[in-house]
Amino acid sequence: MSMQDATIRVLPTGTVNQIAAGEVVERPASVVKELVENAVDAGAGLVRVEVTSDRRQVTGVRVVDDGIGMGRADAVLAFKEHATSKIREIEDLDRLHTLGFRGEALASIASVAEVTIVTKPRDRGVIAGIRVRVRGGGEPEVAEVGAPDGTSVEVRDLFFNTPARRKFLKSLHTELAHIHGVVEKTALAHPEVAFRLLHNGRERIATHAADDLRETAGALFGTDLTRALVPAGGGNRFVRVGGFVARPSHTRADQYQIFLSVNGRPVYSAGIVRAIKEGYGTLLPANRFPVAFLALTTDQGLVDANVHPTKRQVRFTHEREVYEAVTDAVRTALHGEDLLVGEREAEVFVPAPVPRRPARPVAPAPSTPAPRHGVAESPAQYAKSDRRLRQTELPLAGAERNRLPEVTVLGQVDATYIIGSTGGRSLVLIDQHAAHERILYEQVQAKQEGGPKTQELIVPVLVTFSPTEVELVREALPLLAEEGFVVEEFGPSTFAVNAIPVVLGKLEEPEVIRDLVSALVREGPSDPVGRREAITRRVACRGAIKAGDPLTTEQMQRLVEQLAHTENPYTCPHGRPTVILFSPDEMAAMFRRT
């Protein structure tokens, strides 16, 4: 068969680079990540990231560093695919001490954008700098220019020749939030380097070169958080662990404020996140995540960063030992510390780890149940639940509707489940949080049709967000207003919450608002249920009675009656069951009586 008859073709180099760019350059934040990593590898003491945008999208990115710079030959070669100064052979991966090593970032970016490098080598007595411009993978244009020591890389018209990819970019605020996230993670992984991030000339992030990671964390997240940080350190023969973890009073709804680095590389590891949570033990509720800034150091031959083109994931050769070291470091850091920063935390968090205990036997709910381990119980606990239940009292117009069998409450198990019976025959178990969440959810939906749904706060609550969160809050302000939150900008990173949804009842702590708003704005706009629906569910979840809240018999009966008058009393908004019924036949089968 002749070559003319062959159906397989070798792709042109330009096409190969554009395909590779899809793996390396997903969005403007990918460009910032690659360029910032190159700046750190170049020994920069200051990295300046300048982002420009119009009202709809990011229009340009420029990263300036004061690193070692490049000569003419290196500046041109930097645009060649797989051209790198980091490694020479595959064995060098076991001795790697840089963030980049593949030599494909600049070639990939230049294949889908216009890239201009201006660079001048440091300490070589060179007078003029070099400017190299490449557009869409074309031939480089090279010229001598005046320039300071270091390197400046400017990227414009990203995805100009791949419009399909540009169409899949998210909103401007979402893309800016991703850029903020890249700078945050890199600054925390390299506190010895100063970082600046500017958007349309306005400074958004500023950190100083520091020996103490706590100082960098404070510049990014504020002093309130850094005061709650506890030093963590330890390790074994495979890994060293250092950094800080927050006291259990500072928890989050998800793991977005767990920052990890391995050998100076910002990474994500589900295994390390689990190890951190295990180190907290029973100090954390099951559905909450801590705040942590941990740096792991290991022999490069024991970790593989060449797992994915973005280099965000790593693989350890001794995973179990690494996870054990992380767990031990966190547990040791928290042991013996004064974990009660204020009175309000003493009402919610246990002062020291306690072993998990078996569930208490079922018993009728007394007027004042015995205290539950780790939770301070008092008449105030019942008053809070009573306020929540009064908030969800259904109107008399719906009193004739009853979608559950008549349930007689018998008691409460582990301050989480209501146990009852139907006519003395069937056994009923009700998840109190899921049940109240369903009630709140339907009421929030009903109030969206009209009528008052906000309550003004006597004193506005000031909430400080991280730079990444600020962009997400700005984008979410209209949606938050639709759900009953009145939030206004109060400063560069501070927002004033002037009103909250009625269904949340009485405001108890500013931290509740900070956590709730943060969780709301972080719901992905691509969520399959839609962002509006996700926010509605979150409001219902936050305002509902919690697992662990002790209830009197009368309160449990009211909760069951309210659930019976909902449209769908059998599942919570997230699809979990609210009610499980055991018929006499099912109970007989479980006891092998049939």
Side-chain angles (χ1 to χ4, degrees):
M1 183 177 70
S2 66
M3 291 298 294
Q4 288 79 6
D5 296 329
T7 58
I8 296 177
R9 298 284 189 270
V10 177
L11 292 175
T13 300
T15 304
V16 171
N17 285 340
Q18 288 187 8
I19 293 173
E23 298 179 331
V24 178
V25 187
E26 300 174 302
R27 59 194 340 144
S30 306
V31 173
V32 173
K33 174 182 178 295
E34 297 296 337
L35 299 184
V36 166
E37 287 183 353
N38 283 346
V40 173
D41 286 343
L46 170 64
V47 178
R48 181 183 176 96
V49 181
E50 302 171 1
V51 179
T52 56
S53 72
D54 54 25
R55 293 186 176 182
R56 295 177 302 167
Q57 61 188 8
V58 173
T59 56
V61 170
R62 182 170 178 251
V63 176
V64 183
D65 69 67
D66 58 356
I68 59 174
M70 292 181 285
R72 182 187 184 97
D74 285 340
V76 174
L77 277 175
F79 285 97
K80 298 293 184 181
E81 60 273 11
H82 306 299
T84 178
S85 62
K86 314 296 175 56
I87 62 174
R88 291 287 184 269
E89 52 193 20
I90 192 65
E91 288 76 16
D92 290 342
L93 290 177
D94 293 336
R95 300 181 292 273
L96 194 66
H97 295 287
T98 57
L99 298 177
F101 54 86
R102 291 197 181 96
E104 59 184 348
L106 271 179
S108 297
I109 296 169
S111 70
V112 292
E114 179 182 297
V115 180
T116 303
I117 287 183
V118 176
T119 184
K120 178 171 170 281
R122 186 174 63 195
D123 301 329
R124 293 192 198 173
V126 177
I127 298 176
I130 297 295
R131 183 182 66 203
V132 182
R133 178 180 291 125
V134 175
R135 180 175 175 84
E139 288 298 313
E141 303 172 9
V142 186
E144 287 190 353
V145 295
D149 293 350
T151 301
S152 165
V153 184
E154 184 174 12
V155 178
R156 292 198 169 275
D157 290 340
L158 184 62
F159 302 136
F160 80 93
N161 55 356
T162 53
R165 189 171 299 157
R166 177 181 283 178
K167 287 194 302 185
F168 284 96
L169 294 178
K170 304 302 181 184
S171 69
L172 172 62
H173 287 296
T174 299
E175 297 301 335
L176 289 174
H178 282 285
I179 292 173
H180 281 78
V182 167
V183 177
E184 284 178 7
K185 293 180 178 68
T186 312
L188 289 167
H190 291 274
E192 75 281 1
V193 180
F195 286 86
R196 299 285 186 276
L197 171 61
L198 293 88
H199 174 223
N200 288 343
R202 296 183 63 182
E203 190 172 78
R204 300 298 189 186
I205 291 179
T207 70
H208 300 281
D211 297 328
D212 189 355
L213 176 59
R214 189 200 301 261
E215 186 175 332
T216 302
L220 294 171
F221 303 106
T223 55
D224 285 345
L225 176 60
T226 54
R227 279 196 294 264
L229 295 181
V230 177
N236 52 36
R237 62 194 181 97
F238 298 108
V239 66
R240 298 297 302 171
V241 181
F244 298 88
V245 294
R247 292 179 173 88
S249 53
H250 285 66
T251 65
R252 300 292 182 257
D254 51 36
Q255 50 191 289
Y256 75 95
Q257 282 196 344
I258 296 178
F259 294 91
L260 306 173
S261 67
V262 176
N263 293 346
R265 183 186 306 282
V267 299
Y268 170 76
S269 169
I272 294 179
V273 171
R274 286 194 298 270
I276 292 172
K277 289 200 69 176
E278 187 175 341
Y280 275 81
T282 54
L283 289 171
L284 284 181
N287 61 340
R288 302 290 293 180
F289 291 87
V291 176
F293 307 91
L294 291 185
L296 278 62
T297 306
T298 183
D299 187 291
Q300 192 58 45
L302 302 179
V303 60
D304 182 9
N306 195 25
V307 177
H308 188 271
T310 64
K311 302 185 287 290
R312 186 167 181 253
Q313 302 175 21
V314 293
R315 188 178 293 133
F316 298 97
T317 57
H318 298 275
E319 285 190 343
R320 183 173 60 83
E321 290 83 355
V322 170
Y323 299 159
E324 286 177 354
V326 171
T327 298
D328 290 343
V330 174
R331 183 183 293 123
T332 302
L334 296 172
H335 181 70
E337 279 287 328
D338 178 9
L339 302 182
L340 303 181
V341 181
E343 290 182 4
R344 62 184 178 86
E345 285 133 3
E347 296 178 359
V348 181
F349 298 97
V350 294
V354 294
R356 186 176 296 276
R357 57 192 172 72
R360 293 194 302 269
V362 177
S367 57
T368 306
R372 185 170 179 262
H373 228 351
V375 179
E377 296 182 4
S378 66
Q381 287 285 103
Y382 301 101
K384 182 174 70 174
S385 297
D386 207 60
R387 287 197 303 270
R388 293 184 187 276
L389 287 169
R390 282 202 307 271
Q391 190 65 54
T392 52
E393 291 286 355
L394 295 173
L396 294 176
E400 68 279 358
R401 183 178 63 193
N402 195 326
R403 301 186 184 276
L404 286 179
E406 195 70 29
V407 175
T408 301
V409 170
L410 301 176
Q412 188 183 32
V413 177
D414 202 31
T416 299
Y417 304 101
I418 298 171
I419 187 168
S421 69
T422 59
R425 290 183 53 81
S426 298
L427 181 69
V428 178
L429 286 177
I430 298 176
D431 183 324
Q432 64 189 40
H433 172 71
H436 202 222
E437 190 178 12
R438 163 55 63 179
I439 299 164
L440 270 169
Y441 172 76
E442 292 195 7
Q443 290 206 350
V444 172
Q445 282 193 318
K447 288 177 180 178
Q448 288 171 353
E449 304 298 325
K453 56 183 179 182
T454 66
Q455 56 181 341
E456 286 194 23
L457 302 178
I458 298 175
V459 178
V461 175
L462 299 182
V463 186
T464 301
F465 293 99
S466 71
T468 298
E469 291 172 313
V470 165
E471 293 299 331
L472 296 175
V473 174
R474 289 190 179 117
E475 181 181 23
L477 285 178
L479 282 173
L480 291 171
E482 292 177 7
E483 296 303 322
F485 291 91
V486 178
V487 184
E488 299 176 346
E489 288 197 54
F490 195 76
S493 59
T494 303
F495 289 76
V497 182
N498 298 310
I500 61 175
V502 172
V503 295
L504 291 180
K506 181 182 177 182
L507 176 66
E508 290 152 11
E509 292 295 339
E511 183 63 22
V512 171
I513 297 299
R514 202 223 79 86
D515 180 65
L516 177 60
V517 174
S518 176
L520 291 179
V521 300
R522 297 191 70 82
E523 294 288 353
S526 59
D527 192 300
V529 301
R531 191 161 194 174
R532 174 70 179 272
E533 174 69 7
I535 290 178
T536 301
R537 292 180 181 183
R538 181 71 73 171
V539 170
C541 180
R542 194 63 188 83
I545 288 171
K546 302 297 183 290
D549 287 348
L551 304 175
T552 65
T553 301
E554 186 269 338
Q555 288 174 337
M556 287 186 279
Q557 195 69 56
R558 285 164 58 194
L559 179 60
V560 173
E561 291 170 0
Q562 290 182 18
L563 179 65
H565 290 81
T566 59
E567 290 288 344
N568 179 10
Y570 296 102
T571 63
C572 78
H574 300 94
R576 294 192 300 108
T578 58
V579 181
I580 296 178
L581 186 142
F582 298 91
S583 68
D585 290 342
E586 289 173 318
M587 289 188 287
M590 286 189 287
F591 284 100
R592 300 182 181 178
R593 295 178 64 87
T594 57

